[in-house]
Amino acid sequence: MTNRELFRPTSSYLFAFLGFFLFSALAYVNFLDYGFTSGLVAAIWCTFGCALAYQLFLHPAVVFYDEGLVIINPLSRHVIGWQDVEEIETRYTMSIVTHDRKGKKGKIQAFAAPAPGRYHSRTIHQSEMRGLNLKESNVIRAGDSPRTNSGAAAAIARSRIDQFQRFQTKSTMEYGVQFNFSAVIINATIFTIGIIALIFNG
C-alpha cells in the first residue's frame, strides 16, 4: 500500500480532548472531596469514560492509499480496493457501496466522515462543487460540500479512484473486514472492575 493519507476531522481531536479533560477533572475532584477509596472508584469509571471517548473520537478514521482505502469505525475495520468501489455516497456519512466476499452488495459507512445537518445545504455555493466529479451535477447534497467532513473525504476518494483508473494501477487491495474485539474486551473489563469497585465501596 502506497501514498498513505489519513483523514480524521479536527473536531474529533477537540471532542476527545474535552472528554479526557472533563473525566480527569472529575476524578481529581472526587479524590479531593471524598478521599482515596471513593476517588479510586471514580477514577475507574472516568477511565471507562476516557476509553469510550477514544473509541468514538480518536479511533475512527479513513486511510486512503493509491490501491484503495481503509475505513476504521469504532467496532470494525474495512479494507476496500478501488476496483471494488461502485459508488460513493454522502447521505448520512461518506459511504462506499461495494460487494463483499460473497458477492452481496452493501454500503460501508465511515464514522469519521459524517454528513452535516439538513439545513447546511442552504449555505452551499456552486463554486464549491467544481472539480468534484459528481455524477448528478443537478442534485447537490449538503454532504458533498468540501467544507463538510463527508464531502472532504468523498473528494479525496473520488480523486484517488480517478488516478487509479487513469494510470491503471496493477497493485490492488483485497476486500476485508475485521471486528474490533480488543475495544470490546477492554471496555468490558473496565466496566466490570467499576461494578466490583462500586459493590465493595458501597
Side-chain angles (χ1 to χ4, degrees):
M1 296 183 287
T2 58
N3 200 9
R4 181 179 184 271
E5 182 177 0
L6 176 68
F7 177 86
R8 182 183 289 120
T10 304
S11 58
S12 296
Y13 295 97
L14 177 61
F15 290 141
F17 172 78
L18 289 176
F20 295 156
F21 176 79
L22 291 175
F23 285 122
S24 299
L26 181 61
Y28 178 73
V29 169
N30 272 271
F31 272 109
L32 291 180
D33 293 345
Y34 301 104
F36 178 80
T37 303
S38 296
L40 183 60
V41 175
I44 294 173
W45 284 103
C46 288
T47 301
F48 178 71
C50 288
L52 290 181
Y54 171 83
Q55 187 176 347
L56 290 175
F57 299 119
L58 289 184
H59 182 70
V62 183
V63 188
F64 298 94
Y65 298 94
D66 287 340
E67 301 84 2
L69 77 164
V70 178
I71 296 178
I72 304 172
N73 288 332
L75 293 177
S76 61
R77 182 178 184 271
H78 303 266
V79 179
I80 311 166
W82 295 127
Q83 74 280 357
D84 296 325
V85 176
E86 296 190 3
E87 188 178 354
I88 299 175
E89 294 185 0
T90 57
R91 186 174 183 179
Y92 301 110
T93 65
M94 192 276 285
S95 306
I96 301 296
V97 178
T98 183
H99 286 80
D100 60 18
R101 293 174 179 174
K102 298 180 180 179
K104 184 178 180 181
K105 188 174 183 179
K107 183 187 298 184
I108 302 172
Q109 297 182 329
F111 192 87
R118 58 186 297 185
Y119 297 107
H120 178 83
S121 57
R122 298 179 181 178
T123 67
I124 295 179
H125 194 273
Q126 283 291 108
S127 61
E128 297 180 31
M129 315 311 293
R130 296 173 184 171
L132 296 185
N133 299 323
L134 299 179
K135 293 182 179 180
E136 300 178 359
S137 57
N138 58 326
V139 179
I140 301 175
R141 283 180 175 167
D144 285 320
S145 170
R147 291 190 295 166
T148 64
N149 294 324
S150 58
I156 298 173
R158 293 186 178 108
S159 176
R160 291 297 183 104
I161 290 178
D162 183 63
Q163 294 179 10
F164 180 83
Q165 295 174 344
R166 183 184 304 175
F167 297 104
Q168 297 181 350
T169 305
K170 294 182 179 180
S171 178
T172 59
M173 293 170 59
E174 295 185 2
Y175 177 86
V177 57
Q178 182 179 3
F179 187 77
N180 191 2
F181 288 103
S182 59
V184 175
I185 293 173
I186 292 173
N187 291 337
T189 300
I190 299 174
F191 182 83
T192 303
I193 294 174
I195 294 295
I196 295 174
L198 281 176
I199 294 175
F200 278 96
N201 190 52

